[in-house]
Short mmCIF file of all heavy atoms in Angstrom, two decimals:
data_model
loop_
_atom_site.label_atom_id
_atom_site.label_comp_id
_atom_site.label_asym_id
_atom_site.label_seq_id
_atom_site.Cartn_x
_atom_site.Cartn_y
_atom_site.Cartn_z
N THR Y 33 -2.43 -4.44 -21.02
CA THR Y 33 -3.76 -4.95 -21.33
C THR Y 33 -3.68 -6.47 -21.38
O THR Y 33 -2.85 -7.04 -22.08
CB THR Y 33 -4.25 -4.40 -22.68
OG1 THR Y 33 -4.28 -2.96 -22.62
CG2 THR Y 33 -5.65 -4.91 -22.98
N PRO Y 35 -6.14 -10.08 -21.65
CA PRO Y 35 -7.46 -10.70 -21.82
C PRO Y 35 -7.91 -11.37 -20.53
O PRO Y 35 -7.11 -11.96 -19.80
CB PRO Y 35 -7.22 -11.73 -22.93
CG PRO Y 35 -6.00 -11.26 -23.65
CD PRO Y 35 -5.15 -10.60 -22.60
N ASN Y 57 2.65 -2.76 -7.51
CA ASN Y 57 1.97 -4.05 -7.35
C ASN Y 57 0.46 -3.88 -7.51
O ASN Y 57 -0.13 -2.95 -6.94
CB ASN Y 57 2.25 -4.63 -5.96
CG ASN Y 57 3.73 -4.83 -5.70
OD1 ASN Y 57 4.34 -5.75 -6.24
ND2 ASN Y 57 4.33 -3.98 -4.88
N GLY Y 64 -15.88 -9.85 -16.73
CA GLY Y 64 -16.53 -10.37 -17.92
C GLY Y 64 -15.53 -11.12 -18.79
O GLY Y 64 -14.56 -11.68 -18.31
N SER Y 98 8.54 11.18 9.58
CA SER Y 98 9.96 11.05 9.89
C SER Y 98 10.35 9.59 10.04
O SER Y 98 9.50 8.71 10.23
CB SER Y 98 10.31 11.81 11.18
OG SER Y 98 9.61 11.26 12.29
N GLU Y 164 19.33 0.59 3.26
CA GLU Y 164 20.40 0.06 2.44
C GLU Y 164 21.74 0.63 2.84
O GLU Y 164 21.83 1.75 3.37
CB GLU Y 164 20.14 0.37 0.96
CG GLU Y 164 18.86 -0.22 0.40
CD GLU Y 164 18.61 0.16 -1.05
OE1 GLU Y 164 19.41 0.95 -1.59
OE2 GLU Y 164 17.60 -0.30 -1.62
N SER Y 174 18.11 -4.92 14.23
CA SER Y 174 17.73 -5.83 15.30
C SER Y 174 16.31 -5.53 15.77
O SER Y 174 15.89 -4.36 15.81
CB SER Y 174 18.71 -5.69 16.47
OG SER Y 174 18.19 -6.31 17.65
N LEU Y 216 -1.70 5.65 17.24
CA LEU Y 216 -2.06 7.02 16.89
C LEU Y 216 -1.31 8.01 17.76
O LEU Y 216 -1.19 7.85 18.98
CB LEU Y 216 -3.57 7.22 17.07
CG LEU Y 216 -4.16 8.55 16.64
CD1 LEU Y 216 -4.03 8.75 15.13
CD2 LEU Y 216 -5.64 8.63 17.05
N ARG Y 273 -10.02 -1.36 -11.66
CA ARG Y 273 -10.48 -0.76 -12.91
C ARG Y 273 -11.54 -1.66 -13.54
O ARG Y 273 -11.50 -2.88 -13.39
CB ARG Y 273 -9.32 -0.59 -13.91
CG ARG Y 273 -8.38 0.55 -13.57
CD ARG Y 273 -7.24 0.64 -14.55
NE ARG Y 273 -6.36 1.74 -14.20
CZ ARG Y 273 -6.44 2.97 -14.70
NH1 ARG Y 273 -7.36 3.24 -15.61
NH2 ARG Y 273 -5.61 3.92 -14.31
N ALA Y 288 -21.09 -3.72 5.29
CA ALA Y 288 -20.79 -2.32 5.60
C ALA Y 288 -21.24 -1.44 4.44
O ALA Y 288 -21.08 -1.83 3.27
CB ALA Y 288 -19.29 -2.13 5.85
#
Side-chain angles (χ1 to χ4, degrees):
T33 301
N57 301 286
S98 63
E164 299 177 357
S174 166
L216 185 65
R273 285 178 180 266

